[in-house]
Amino acid sequence: MDPKKLRTLLERLQGGGVSVDDALTELADLPYKDLGFANVDHHRHLRSGFPEVVLGAGKTREQVAAIVLELSKTGANVLATRVDAAQAAHVIAAVPAARYDELARAIVVEQQPIIETGRGTGLVISAGTSDLPVAEEAALTARLGGSHVERLWDVGVAGIHRLLDRRALLEQAEVIVVAAGMEGALPSVVKGLVSRPVIAVPTSVGYGASFGGLAALLGMLNACASGVVVVNIDNGFGAGYAAALMNRRREAKT
Amino acid sequence: MDPKKLRTLLERLQGGGVSVDDALTELADLPYKDLGFANVDHHRHLRSGFPEVVLGAGKTREQVAAIVLELSKTGANVLATRVDAAQAAHVIAAVPAARYDELARAIVVEQQPIIETGRGTGLVISAGTSDLPVAEEAALTARLGGSHVERLWDVGVAGIHRLLDRRALLEQAEVIVVAAGMEGALPSVVKGLVSRPVIAVPTSVGYGASFGGLAALLGMLNACASGVVVVNIDNGFGAGYAAALMNRRREAKT
Amino acid sequence: MDPKKLRTLLERLQGGGVSVDDALTELADLPYKDLGFANVDHHRHLRSGFPEVVLGAGKTREQVAAIVLELSKTGANVLATRVDAAQAAHVIAAVPAARYDELARAIVVEQQPIIETGRGTGLVISAGTSDLPVAEEAALTARLGGSHVERLWDVGVAGIHRLLDRRALLEQAEVIVVAAGMEGALPSVVKGLVSRPVIAVPTSVGYGASFGGLAALLGMLNACASGVVVVNIDNGFGAGYAAALMNRRREAKT
Amino acid sequence: MDPKKLRTLLERLQGGGVSVDDALTELADLPYKDLGFANVDHHRHLRSGFPEVVLGAGKTREQVAAIVLELSKTGANVLATRVDAAQAAHVIAAVPAARYDELARAIVVEQQPIIETGRGTGLVISAGTSDLPVAEEAALTARLGGSHVERLWDVGVAGIHRLLDRRALLEQAEVIVVAAGMEGALPSVVKGLVSRPVIAVPTSVGYGASFGGLAALLGMLNACASGVVVVNIDNGFGAGYAAALMNRRREAKT
Amino acid sequence: MDPKKLRTLLERLQGGGVSVDDALTELADLPYKDLGFANVDHHRHLRSGFPEVVLGAGKTREQVAAIVLELSKTGANVLATRVDAAQAAHVIAAVPAARYDELARAIVVEQQPIIETGRGTGLVISAGTSDLPVAEEAALTARLGGSHVERLWDVGVAGIHRLLDRRALLEQAEVIVVAAGMEGALPSVVKGLVSRPVIAVPTSVGYGASFGGLAALLGMLNACASGVVVVNIDNGFGAGYAAALMNRRREAKT
Amino acid sequence: MDPKKLRTLLERLQGGGVSVDDALTELADLPYKDLGFANVDHHRHLRSGFPEVVLGAGKTREQVAAIVLELSKTGANVLATRVDAAQAAHVIAAVPAARYDELARAIVVEQQPIIETGRGTGLVISAGTSDLPVAEEAALTARLGGSHVERLWDVGVAGIHRLLDRRALLEQAEVIVVAAGMEGALPSVVKGLVSRPVIAVPTSVGYGASFGGLAALLGMLNACASGVVVVNIDNGFGAGYAAALMNRRREAKT
Amino acid sequence: MDPKKLRTLLERLQGGGVSVDDALTELADLPYKDLGFANVDHHRHLRSGFPEVVLGAGKTREQVAAIVLELSKTGANVLATRVDAAQAAHVIAAVPAARYDELARAIVVEQQPIIETGRGTGLVISAGTSDLPVAEEAALTARLGGSHVERLWDVGVAGIHRLLDRRALLEQAEVIVVAAGMEGALPSVVKGLVSRPVIAVPTSVGYGASFGGLAALLGMLNACASGVVVVNIDNGFGAGYAAALMNRRREAKT
Amino acid sequence: MDPKKLRTLLERLQGGGVSVDDALTELADLPYKDLGFANVDHHRHLRSGFPEVVLGAGKTREQVAAIVLELSKTGANVLATRVDAAQAAHVIAAVPAARYDELARAIVVEQQPIIETGRGTGLVISAGTSDLPVAEEAALTARLGGSHVERLWDVGVAGIHRLLDRRALLEQAEVIVVAAGMEGALPSVVKGLVSRPVIAVPTSVGYGASFGGLAALLGMLNACASGVVVVNIDNGFGAGYAAALMNRRREAKT
């Protein structure tokens, strides 16, 4: 079934082939997408400037390769997250244009030029080196979503001067993503230094009473600095996606 | 101690009253704020366009009234959140310019014109009528932070067509706040319909296995729609604050 | 705005007052409810055979009374749950037709004859006397939803013969609701004796490691007997509602 | 010992071989099953129309194969759930009539014709593709339990129009199973569209703050739509079993 | 209906008034209690040597008084636990024979002589003074259940020598109840000193990360000394009941 | 240092070689065990009638074998719990007298005759076949501790008549251990049928919201039948140990 | 019984009134405290330099007053924590020398001069004004324990420069107590700036996902700076006590 | 950029090459570390007397070896914790001076003499043999941090006399670390015996309701003995580090 059905119905009404009452009845029976709502979804990714996305975790090598192959046939950019080295090898064998970002544990198939849609810079900060995979996943996603991205690695709160040294970088950012595990304290400190939105990503880095990132998550939700917003544990993709949205020029919207 | 100390030191160095080595030593001993960092904080609220904020919960009537009085003497706008009727009466007796917003449970002292700093509209949505205090707190905060605000009440997922009826309102918003309790499902649905950032506020509305808003919080953190960010349970203030930040024109920053 | 807009648009199209292309454009802009979906919601309660429902908990006496009054003006039956004695007095003063069920802590305004829609009996079982308010709320809701209801009180697993004595009652039921607190073991035992669906309602009866009904909830979700389904802690209303649905004759659906 | 003992005792009483007092004493000592209660259990599966069920998880390949073999010798249909490919190979080697359903991760030995016992259709819905194993387990179980089953895959709340497109399918179902992970919001939306019971199955799909399905479970227990009932995380079997029970014609009961 | 029905049936069979087949049929329809199982429950408390028990918490003054009055009419001893002073006054007004034990927060109506049924002494130990209400509830229950009871108060692990001073008392006990809050460490230490069973009762004494007794409960479940068994938080009654059972002479059983 | 020091000191005092004051001072400096307390521990296992115990979990094959070998050299009986097949092979190679109980996952070295110390029978009950390893570990431990043991397998609450059939067995037991996973309801039902102590062992059998045995643990702690005591999840050893203690004749104590 | 028994025994041995063997036997039967261990406890508080301590929470006004009165009769200093204004009035009426510290919610009876026992300064830091009661309780306890105390209030991580301004104060402290609620991030930042021990006190300040201080507690346990140790939520007393111990000169120990 | 910039600026000011106003402006733009704060961090480890530290867990063999190699090139001592045997072999191949401590699972490269900085002895106590890796990690860290260390193994609370035998050792310690799993009760008992600080380390030793060390952690946070402080689960390194800090002579500080 397709939207043509709606046009046909209206033409029949115009042409006298159907009464108003019968048209009303038929209209009530038309599927939702025929009524024009479907375009919310149709070609959404292409128009949105975001790539097609695949979550690698929990899939076999063959499944990841097959899905990336299929999506890349549409001509869209493709991002596969949480892809390990073995999965990556399979994907590259199937899709030669695919490139593996080892740090971000992500596959990127960049077939479309990335149109810069941001009003400014998306800055991605990591507290420790163990938080880098999550932070880099955020940075990669924001870039694919059209943002200019800067990175600031390894500036955890136990050595606060390392962060203070980079005031200029902090102040010029349009939106900031902060990835931190353990006690998750960095977003509060960062937000206290800037007047732009801060997106906090708790990571599962830690042990014992970190409970797989729960400590960092709770810390960030209770951030004492106003204007900190939070995403799920290890959700670098979600943070980068939100950062790109917040940074996007209105006219860039699709 | 004040920043003049730094100037005096430099003048003494210039005048030969102190050697470079001694100046370096004295410099190392000057407090942080004398070194120019303090302006991060100084007059922050006035310049930021946000009001001074007081949390009423856990304070006596007298304490709330005294703090609001003191803050309003600075000439700034003042927002007191989680203020009950008895506290409000005390505040108004002490600060005649104060106005009580019963729905948002908030006191506002509006002494400065609110300069519109947003690029567009901040839309605040509530799932149910019980979520209104939190939603209205968000709306009030966003408005005081310089955003034009629209409201969409009572469009929970169990009656999804009420939300779908308002597509135009959703699509024209620059940023959307969604307050919902119980299962906290509304932000995912809203985000699926728009391409702008969605700030989810879990509320403590519910009973039993809602565990004081935990169910809604977890639901929102696990939202299947990309681009949803989350604040603490019942934190309407934080959501409105973040919304105003996201909506703010760069040149409006202070 | 109302559905007449759609009819008007179609009549204008029929009459040549608008082109097909313009009609398509206007159609895309019509709110959802004008497109005929609204009838999912409109008059839903009256047609469904269920009463209008108000949750009394967390509302003032005046609010409960006002809402019950307003709803009862539609002519529908009204059920207000979690109503304490003081709230009830206010409601009855405002709505003389209202009746207070002390055990179920509920107000009922029965203005419409209740049409029996069930295929059989809805049996409501309570484990202990402290579970009675929740159990009776379920029974009352199921009756208002059109089910013939039987009750079996105080047949907890520590005195299993009391339950076994009533095999006949168990076996003739079309659907069974079981309310139990503490360890929440009763639904498993009941389901082992019958071949009809069992709806388990954990109650917050207990102390210490019952954690407000969590122990009973987990027990019921892990029931070793197949065919047990569960609702939220203390959600007698939800259990009774679901029981009435399960018991309902297809032709009785609206 | 067998029920004949009871008959023998009564015959001895009839024939004067035992006094009434002694018969009462002997009666009190007879095992429970000799008193006629045992038929609650005896041949329960065959009569109930449900297959014999084995849980594969946590068993060795040899154990699963041996149990399926033994059960299939009774002539009953057999369902083994949570069976991986290696276990399945062993089962099929031992029981050639066994068939492996890879999606549902289930072994079925269908030796008896499945008698349709339902009043209508059992509709099984999944939110995402990762929820399919749980959803298909539910569908398979419901079919083996005598229900006509329809499937609706991949209609999560982030793309709500895909669900709305299938209103007709939703409305004609007698009972609906909804499998969803992450925030578990779909059952509320579905229940808002229909007037039949909805059985929600939380799945462990997700990561971080999904806590192995806990977020979805809590979401479903707090569903804001009345008439949603819930089963354990990943319990597709339990949902399908309950759906078949709810759909069953009374006369079909055994 | 009463057990006489069974006798009557057997007499009719003996007298030829009914055939064996019909008797079998009627027998299958007799309620469970008529078949002799009921005596498991009937007069259970009187025979068991335990008093009738009422939980005062969550009941009104009038309810507690009415229930104690009713139970005491049977001539049995009655124990009402978790009774506050106001409830107690009501009970005593209604039942003059009732006595209030302020420390144990319990009402006792002692109408029957307590027959000592124990093989030895039940020793009840408390870690701190705040644990006394729970400890005394255990001691009172054990005594009413027929045990000779000794008490050892305020011997927490932070002053371990106070416990070691009383070795003789520890070693002569037949069974030991240990009530402790906070970290709940005392049962392990006690069990390390004796070779008899130790019943651990976690109390809700503590604050912060004691989480209402959860810390003590977990500590006791993880006791490194073999032979420690645990009851619910604050369940002094359950501990005393179990102690009396463990101490009971076999011939004393009823 | 050894107890001889104390004797020597006293002899020196007796002989005038030391003053009373100096003896007091030296006494205060003697280690605790020299003061006669040590015999609480010395040869504790041999005298107690319990075997030496090793926890196999978390140890390498070599470690388990070495420890069992060392302990068996003392001539005592040895019990190693949570031993897998590979560990068992190593143990048997090192200690030919060792025997592996596959069901209980335990190694037993029985070098001493087990002296029956119980007053009656210890009955061990399991709810399902998956609970057998824990149940059998309890049975084995109780037997090694001197109790006559009976077993009753697979009598879960979903088929309650299987339990009721064995009333005689239940009633003659001196103490009962009940191992159950999932909802953990069986101990309440069993305790309702008997007047002896019931030791409940939650098992980690289950999935999803069983949370590794937490659901069963909470269920048992909230058992509505008085006289149920609980041990840690999967702690069959602890339950069997406590059962042997409760069953032990006083004169059998060491 | 008293230590004289031991002296008497030794004198009898010396005088030939008892044999060595009999003396050994009697010695084994003497209570622990007679053996000289008791002095670990006797006069412990006086010698330790710490006051006697009473926890006011959960006690009636009369109880608190009576205990403080009794303790102050020993001539020791007395500290009563968690005392509200009403309790304080009762205490002061009973013990005129008592002084109420409203901020710390504590009663102090200072009858002994406080001997300074510290090697340096104990610095107490609070993150926010709401953390002051806990911080002041720590400061008060440390002072009563013999430490010189400095205070640094309201230097939370969202305004990090306020902390950095006070480097000199931080660096000269011997031990630092940090009280913080919400995300509990301050101890990590402080520890990163100093090389002395930091004692972190989580407070219950916060709402929603702070879960009564759990978020702050977890944050502090996961502090990324080495050398942070933690006490229970709101346990200002414990933190101050530990700080005084850490600061104490060895020769000051008693 | 380096601190020379600051000197150059001051020299230019002294020499008249820049005005005071311009110097102030340039000063505000200098990075934080140029202003003298950096020395908080620079050479921190060397001066602090602590080794450089690497966490082995979660790193590949190659990564651990490379980091240890790089750090050891600075001439500092290096400590790598949570290193398994395979990682250790790689490290030793790369850094011949490295030594593997199997019990503590740690690599040590000791290139600098360890200067004893403590005022007394750091005593490390373990409750059971399974707690040894954590305890030994603490001991090793404290020694590398300059403390004289004593060890006391296997003195858990179930055999309390083993601890009491070593009073002298306990009393002479300057600071005590106690590692314990299961119920975590040992720190309270130890603190009751001494007047020095006790650092409690919960270990993940245990099963079932120990929840990976949570039971021990909660137990220690709720220790009834004043002066117990706690670190994260299994954090032997943190405990040893804090112990060395607490033991350190002030003049030893760097």
Side-chain angles (χ1 to χ4, degrees), chain C residues 29 49 109 111 151 166 253:
Chain C
D29 289 342
V109 188
Q111 313 188 93
R151 290 162 178 81
R166 306 302 296 274
K253 197 175 66 88

Side-chain angles (χ1 to χ4, degrees), chain B residues 72-139:
Chain B
S72 59
K73 284 177 181 167
T74 69
N77 292 338
V78 182
L79 168 64
T81 59
R82 312 233 175 153
V83 174
D84 62 31
Q87 290 173 317
H90 261 69
V91 173
I92 290 169
V95 187
R99 182 175 54 80
Y100 185 49
D101 184 322
E102 215 171 323
L103 179 54
R105 300 163 309 175
I107 282 281
V108 177
V109 188
E110 205 168 323
Q111 311 188 93
Q112 302 286 331
I114 295 170
I115 298 160
E116 187 127 337
T117 59
R119 295 186 309 273
T121 298
L123 174 62
V124 182
I125 300 179
S126 80
T129 50
S130 303
D131 303 312
L132 278 184
V134 173
E136 186 60 32
E137 184 183 295

